[in-house]
Amino acid sequence: MNRRDVLAALSLLFGPAPAFAQGVGYPSKPVSMIVPFSAGGTADIFARMVGEHLQKSWGQPFVTENVGGAGSIVGITRIARGTPDGSILGLASTSGLSINPTLYGAKLSYRPAQDLLPIAQISMVPNVLVVNPDKIKARTVPELIAHLKANPDKVSFGSAGVGTSQHLAAELFKQMTGTQMTHVPYRGSSQMVTDLISGNIDLAFDNVPLLLPQAAGGKLALIATATAKRAAFDPNLPALSEYLPGFEAVAWHGFVAPAGTPKPVIDKLSAEIRSFMQKPETAKKMDEVGAIAVALGPDEFAAYIASETTRWKAVIEAAAIKID
């Protein structure tokens, strides 16, 4: 046997060993978990919850780092450019994985399908259509649509920023109802909700966790959820799909890693994260903040990202939304 044959035989014998070892022995050092949003939000809460579980299970630190900015682009770019050995992963969302590619096109500093590997989808956060009760007297979807058609471009809606799931939910609503409203974008939801309460804007779509306390206090009025069916947090609140078949506009979160991260590492992370998300106590914690626990694996998550990208691309193009 010549030297080349010997090397080939050794490669066949020992080649798979490093990846396998990384899967079995992973993690052998601290892991950085990038959250591309500021601390305190739902993504931050979810990442720390999962990170704490992984740390307890595997005995290595899973350190959450908040790297916000530019609609999650800064943080996701850092994930995409990280060392693909399992030492870095991150929690991305609808905007970062399925909206930004259309909004920014070639200017985007990462390509989800090429630069990132899906690990697991962990959550779905319902968006809710909410109005200022003093500015908008409508309390049902048909009443609101009638009001908007009678007052084209006279009603303002807020969002957490151009191209966010909240913004696109409203654009989808406009497209499906043939109504016109004026968009007022904010840098995040906090100030938007404050202005909605004070009457500076009239209505909005936003994530449930921020709205429930205000609605309970009578400062805001919930009209309908943007989920495919009625949400568990309030079964009496109708879903928009009951009036607009096919309407769905939810926020979601899932873990990703840099492309090239060994499959055994991805599989080990995915299995442990999904197991945690399926625990009754985890579902209860998610429900307490108005979210739904999800446990999709890498392939299912990748397919969901692709379907969401296609759906939101159509909405963005129909609304002619541009990012300068």
Side-chain angles (χ1 to χ4, degrees):
M1 182 180 288
N2 60 34
R3 185 172 183 271
R4 180 178 296 175
D5 291 336
V6 171
L7 290 175
L10 288 173
S11 175
L12 288 172
L13 182 61
F14 297 109
F20 178 78
Q22 283 176 308
V24 173
Y26 176 83
S28 60
K29 59 182 178 180
V31 176
S32 176
M33 296 178 59
I34 304 298
V35 178
F37 303 99
S38 58
T42 52
D44 183 59
I45 293 170
F46 299 158
R48 292 178 188 276
M49 184 170 67
V50 173
E52 181 180 349
H53 168 76
L54 294 176
Q55 184 166 314
K56 287 181 179 178
S57 297
W58 292 341
Q60 286 288 350
F62 278 73
V63 183
T64 300
E65 296 184 50
N66 297 95
V67 185
S72 79
I73 292 175
V74 176
I76 296 179
T77 299
R78 180 157 162 197
I79 300 167
R81 294 177 181 173
T83 303
D85 61 356
S87 64
I88 182 170
L89 55 132
L91 186 66
S93 68
T94 320
S95 58
L97 298 180
S98 289
I99 294 175
N100 286 347
T102 298
L103 278 180
Y104 292 90
K107 294 185 292 185
L108 191 62
S109 54
Y110 63 89
R111 299 165 301 169
Q114 289 78 34
D115 300 334
L116 299 166
L117 288 178
I119 298 172
Q121 183 184 350
I122 66 162
S123 74
M124 188 173 289
V125 184
N127 280 317
V128 178
L129 174 56
V130 61
V131 302
N132 177 296
D134 297 322
K135 299 288 292 294
I136 302 290
K137 301 303 180 183
R139 293 294 179 270
T140 68
V141 174
E143 289 174 353
L144 179 61
I145 294 173
H147 176 76
L148 294 174
K149 287 188 173 181
N151 298 277
D153 287 322
K154 294 181 180 179
V155 173
S156 61
F157 74 93
S159 79
V162 174
T164 58
S165 66
Q166 297 94 325
H167 174 202
L168 296 188
E171 294 293 347
L172 179 60
F173 180 81
K174 287 167 54 181
Q175 292 170 19
M176 293 184 72
T177 59
T179 55
Q180 296 297 321
M181 296 185 285
T182 300
H183 180 210
V184 182
Y186 290 81
R187 293 182 179 274
S189 290
S190 297
Q191 185 58 49
M192 185 269 289
V193 172
T194 298
D195 275 12
L196 181 60
I197 292 171
S198 66
N200 290 332
I201 55 175
D202 302 315
L203 62 83
F205 282 84
D206 205 1
N207 297 163
V208 171
L210 291 173
L211 302 177
L212 288 182
Q214 309 301 334
K219 296 179 180 179
L220 296 174
L222 305 183
I223 301 297
T225 67
T227 46
K229 58 183 181 180
R230 296 192 181 198
F233 73 88
D234 186 355
N236 294 318
L237 188 66
L240 277 163
S241 60
E242 296 174 27
Y243 307 95
L244 305 171
F247 190 101
E248 184 176 8
V250 298
W252 44 264
H253 302 85
F255 282 98
V256 295
T261 300
K263 187 176 186 299
V265 172
I266 296 294
D267 290 344
K268 185 174 183 178
L269 279 165
S270 183
E272 187 66 28
I273 291 171
R274 286 184 287 127
S275 175
F276 175 66
M277 297 311 301
Q278 291 170 330
K279 293 179 180 293
E281 55 268 33
T282 303
K284 184 174 183 295
K285 288 180 181 178
M286 299 287 280
D287 184 60
E288 288 172 352
V289 297
I292 301 166
V294 178
L296 290 186
D299 293 341
E300 296 86 354
F301 188 24
Y304 184 66
I305 292 170
S307 67
E308 284 282 275
T309 301
T310 299
R311 191 160 68 91
W312 290 122
K313 179 179 181 180
V315 174
I316 291 167
E317 291 178 345
I321 300 171
K322 304 290 184 183
I323 296 291
D324 297 327

